[in-house]
Amino acid sequence: HTLFMRLCSYAGVACVEIKGHSKSVGYEPGMKIREDTFQNTWNAVLIDGDWWPVQCNWGARHLVLNKDQQSKPIKSKKQDKIRYQYDEHYFLTDPDEFIQEFWAQDAEWQLMDRTITLEQFEAMPFVRSVFFHYGLEFDHIMEAVLYTDNKGGAEVKIKVPEEYAKDLVFHYQIRFADRERRNDTEFRGARLERFVFHSLVEGSALFSVHVPTAASYFLEIFANKIDETNKIGDDPN
């Protein structure tokens, strides 16, 4: 941050340091953020009279897996094939998108007309930069925690821009949220993935879930462009 602020100074651009919380390493949907957890620091720069947020660490060190890692099970950390990739999303980000991952303690530096509370930040769906890179949107206001109906059913519908409709491939993972069951990939001999039905309907990616038993689950949805390896949910750290 010091280096970045010096560069701003030399260029004659105002730059300030912002403190707050982020949905970073270890964060999971539904978590409560305390004063001493998920702390983060980023910058805001003034350009032509407008302030823009910048998270240079995340932008310069966006972590992705190599293509062959998508289909092969991870056996050990030593065998992980990882690389760092520049992610322009975190430089001069639209504040309405930035707030999805970063919450400023000083509401003024949320840089939005209508600021949100920490509780509202926690309730927002957990998305990553690729969600915005491909112009994806939820078909209605979505929260991080969904509740099924009395038959165990729930839906997640993501609108896909026409320009990417033929280029994006979606896949998903579902797992138990309870720590004592997180390694369980099956329920009564059936893999949990079988309880999710994915389809493309009228320009939207639809995920219909019918969980097999009363419990808490994590549903992770990934989007890959046919010739790329970025995915929703990748952690930039």
Side-chain angles (χ1 to χ4, degrees), residues 65 69 72-82:
L65 298 177
Q69 195 66 20
K72 296 180 180 180
I74 297 175
K75 295 181 179 180
S76 69
K77 291 185 178 180
K78 292 182 180 180
Q79 293 179 321
D80 290 356
K81 296 182 179 180
I82 61 176

PDB file of all heavy atoms in Angstrom, residues 65 69 72-82:
ATOM      1  N   LEU A  65      -6.480 -22.027 -10.388  1.00  0.00           N
ATOM      2  CA  LEU A  65      -5.945 -23.362 -10.610  1.00  0.00           C
ATOM      3  C   LEU A  65      -5.708 -23.572 -12.096  1.00  0.00           C
ATOM      4  O   LEU A  65      -6.411 -23.014 -12.936  1.00  0.00           O
ATOM      5  CB  LEU A  65      -6.925 -24.425 -10.103  1.00  0.00           C
ATOM      6  CG  LEU A  65      -7.231 -24.406  -8.607  1.00  0.00           C
ATOM      7  CD1 LEU A  65      -8.266 -25.474  -8.299  1.00  0.00           C
ATOM      8  CD2 LEU A  65      -5.973 -24.667  -7.801  1.00  0.00           C
ATOM      9  N   GLN A  69      -6.137 -29.136 -13.105  1.00  0.00           N
ATOM     10  CA  GLN A  69      -6.507 -29.278 -11.701  1.00  0.00           C
ATOM     11  C   GLN A  69      -8.016 -29.380 -11.526  1.00  0.00           C
ATOM     12  O   GLN A  69      -8.505 -29.810 -10.498  1.00  0.00           O
ATOM     13  CB  GLN A  69      -5.983 -28.070 -10.925  1.00  0.00           C
ATOM     14  CG  GLN A  69      -5.985 -28.252  -9.420  1.00  0.00           C
ATOM     15  CD  GLN A  69      -5.010 -29.313  -8.992  1.00  0.00           C
ATOM     16  OE1 GLN A  69      -4.085 -29.650  -9.721  1.00  0.00           O
ATOM     17  NE2 GLN A  69      -5.214 -29.862  -7.822  1.00  0.00           N
ATOM     18  N   LYS A  72      -8.820 -33.364 -11.769  1.00  0.00           N
ATOM     19  CA  LYS A  72      -8.067 -34.328 -10.998  1.00  0.00           C
ATOM     20  C   LYS A  72      -8.185 -34.028  -9.516  1.00  0.00           C
ATOM     21  O   LYS A  72      -8.107 -32.885  -9.107  1.00  0.00           O
ATOM     22  CB  LYS A  72      -6.586 -34.296 -11.409  1.00  0.00           C
ATOM     23  CG  LYS A  72      -6.361 -34.720 -12.864  1.00  0.00           C
ATOM     24  CD  LYS A  72      -4.874 -34.665 -13.208  1.00  0.00           C
ATOM     25  CE  LYS A  72      -4.635 -35.073 -14.654  1.00  0.00           C
ATOM     26  NZ  LYS A  72      -3.190 -35.022 -14.999  1.00  0.00           N
ATOM     27  N   PRO A  73      -8.380 -35.040  -8.680  1.00  0.00           N
ATOM     28  CA  PRO A  73      -8.493 -34.797  -7.234  1.00  0.00           C
ATOM     29  C   PRO A  73      -7.193 -34.280  -6.661  1.00  0.00           C
ATOM     30  O   PRO A  73      -6.110 -34.639  -7.114  1.00  0.00           O
ATOM     31  CB  PRO A  73      -8.834 -36.182  -6.677  1.00  0.00           C
ATOM     32  CG  PRO A  73      -8.297 -37.140  -7.695  1.00  0.00           C
ATOM     33  CD  PRO A  73      -8.473 -36.468  -9.030  1.00  0.00           C
ATOM     34  N   ILE A  74      -7.309 -33.417  -5.664  1.00  0.00           N
ATOM     35  CA  ILE A  74      -6.131 -32.871  -5.005  1.00  0.00           C
ATOM     36  C   ILE A  74      -5.642 -33.865  -3.965  1.00  0.00           C
ATOM     37  O   ILE A  74      -6.366 -34.214  -3.042  1.00  0.00           O
ATOM     38  CB  ILE A  74      -6.464 -31.520  -4.335  1.00  0.00           C
ATOM     39  CG1 ILE A  74      -6.883 -30.510  -5.404  1.00  0.00           C
ATOM     40  CG2 ILE A  74      -5.270 -31.000  -3.557  1.00  0.00           C
ATOM     41  CD1 ILE A  74      -7.350 -29.197  -4.822  1.00  0.00           C
ATOM     42  N   LYS A  75      -4.408 -34.335  -4.099  1.00  0.00           N
ATOM     43  CA  LYS A  75      -3.868 -35.325  -3.179  1.00  0.00           C
ATOM     44  C   LYS A  75      -3.061 -34.680  -2.062  1.00  0.00           C
ATOM     45  O   LYS A  75      -3.046 -35.145  -0.952  1.00  0.00           O
ATOM     46  CB  LYS A  75      -3.004 -36.318  -3.953  1.00  0.00           C
ATOM     47  CG  LYS A  75      -3.807 -37.157  -4.945  1.00  0.00           C
ATOM     48  CD  LYS A  75      -2.908 -38.150  -5.662  1.00  0.00           C
ATOM     49  CE  LYS A  75      -3.719 -39.008  -6.642  1.00  0.00           C
ATOM     50  NZ  LYS A  75      -2.848 -39.987  -7.352  1.00  0.00           N
ATOM     51  N   SER A  76      -2.372 -33.622  -2.377  1.00  0.00           N
ATOM     52  CA  SER A  76      -1.587 -32.941  -1.361  1.00  0.00           C
ATOM     53  C   SER A  76      -1.276 -31.549  -1.842  1.00  0.00           C
ATOM     54  O   SER A  76      -1.325 -31.255  -3.031  1.00  0.00           O
ATOM     55  CB  SER A  76      -0.273 -33.687  -1.086  1.00  0.00           C
ATOM     56  OG  SER A  76       0.587 -33.587  -2.205  1.00  0.00           O
ATOM     57  N   LYS A  77      -0.936 -30.680  -0.898  1.00  0.00           N
ATOM     58  CA  LYS A  77      -0.633 -29.302  -1.256  1.00  0.00           C
ATOM     59  C   LYS A  77       0.579 -29.217  -2.166  1.00  0.00           C
ATOM     60  O   LYS A  77       0.688 -28.337  -3.006  1.00  0.00           O
ATOM     61  CB  LYS A  77      -0.412 -28.471   0.010  1.00  0.00           C
ATOM     62  CG  LYS A  77      -1.688 -28.253   0.817  1.00  0.00           C
ATOM     63  CD  LYS A  77      -1.443 -27.328   1.982  1.00  0.00           C
ATOM     64  CE  LYS A  77      -2.744 -27.081   2.757  1.00  0.00           C
ATOM     65  NZ  LYS A  77      -2.529 -26.184   3.909  1.00  0.00           N
ATOM     66  N   LYS A  78       1.520 -30.134  -2.023  1.00  0.00           N
ATOM     67  CA  LYS A  78       2.718 -30.105  -2.841  1.00  0.00           C
ATOM     68  C   LYS A  78       2.393 -30.354  -4.309  1.00  0.00           C
ATOM     69  O   LYS A  78       3.138 -29.943  -5.183  1.00  0.00           O
ATOM     70  CB  LYS A  78       3.714 -31.155  -2.335  1.00  0.00           C
ATOM     71  CG  LYS A  78       4.301 -30.832  -0.966  1.00  0.00           C
ATOM     72  CD  LYS A  78       5.319 -31.877  -0.547  1.00  0.00           C
ATOM     73  CE  LYS A  78       5.909 -31.545   0.815  1.00  0.00           C
ATOM     74  NZ  LYS A  78       6.903 -32.567   1.237  1.00  0.00           N
ATOM     75  N   GLN A  79       1.290 -31.049  -4.577  1.00  0.00           N
ATOM     76  CA  GLN A  79       0.944 -31.382  -5.944  1.00  0.00           C
ATOM     77  C   GLN A  79       0.007 -30.353  -6.578  1.00  0.00           C
ATOM     78  O   GLN A  79      -0.311 -30.456  -7.751  1.00  0.00           O
ATOM     79  CB  GLN A  79       0.295 -32.765  -5.994  1.00  0.00           C
ATOM     80  CG  GLN A  79       1.261 -33.895  -5.643  1.00  0.00           C
ATOM     81  CD  GLN A  79       0.567 -35.239  -5.679  1.00  0.00           C
ATOM     82  OE1 GLN A  79      -0.580 -35.373  -5.258  1.00  0.00           O
ATOM     83  NE2 GLN A  79       1.241 -36.238  -6.199  1.00  0.00           N
ATOM     84  N   ASP A  80      -0.447 -29.384  -5.813  1.00  0.00           N
ATOM     85  CA  ASP A  80      -1.321 -28.362  -6.370  1.00  0.00           C
ATOM     86  C   ASP A  80      -0.593 -27.592  -7.465  1.00  0.00           C
ATOM     87  O   ASP A  80       0.538 -27.147  -7.276  1.00  0.00           O
ATOM     88  CB  ASP A  80      -1.757 -27.363  -5.281  1.00  0.00           C
ATOM     89  CG  ASP A  80      -2.712 -27.993  -4.286  1.00  0.00           C
ATOM     90  OD1 ASP A  80      -3.075 -29.150  -4.495  1.00  0.00           O
ATOM     91  OD2 ASP A  80      -3.062 -27.315  -3.313  1.00  0.00           O
ATOM     92  N   LYS A  81      -1.255 -27.424  -8.598  1.00  0.00           N
ATOM     93  CA  LYS A  81      -0.689 -26.630  -9.677  1.00  0.00           C
ATOM     94  C   LYS A  81      -1.438 -25.312  -9.706  1.00  0.00           C
ATOM     95  O   LYS A  81      -2.566 -25.237 -10.168  1.00  0.00           O
ATOM     96  CB  LYS A  81      -0.811 -27.374 -11.002  1.00  0.00           C
ATOM     97  CG  LYS A  81      -0.001 -28.666 -11.038  1.00  0.00           C
ATOM     98  CD  LYS A  81      -0.115 -29.357 -12.391  1.00  0.00           C
ATOM     99  CE  LYS A  81       0.728 -30.626 -12.421  1.00  0.00           C
ATOM    100  NZ  LYS A  81       0.640 -31.312 -13.727  1.00  0.00           N
ATOM    101  N   ILE A  82      -0.810 -24.280  -9.192  1.00  0.00           N
ATOM    102  CA  ILE A  82      -1.467 -22.991  -9.059  1.00  0.00           C
ATOM    103  C   ILE A  82      -0.662 -21.926  -9.780  1.00  0.00           C
ATOM    104  O   ILE A  82       0.519 -22.102 -10.062  1.00  0.00           O
ATOM    105  CB  ILE A  82      -1.645 -22.588  -7.580  1.00  0.00           C
ATOM    106  CG1 ILE A  82      -0.285 -22.468  -6.885  1.00  0.00           C
ATOM    107  CG2 ILE A  82      -2.542 -23.586  -6.865  1.00  0.00           C
ATOM    108  CD1 ILE A  82      -0.378 -21.974  -5.449  1.00  0.00           C
TER     109      ILE A  82
END
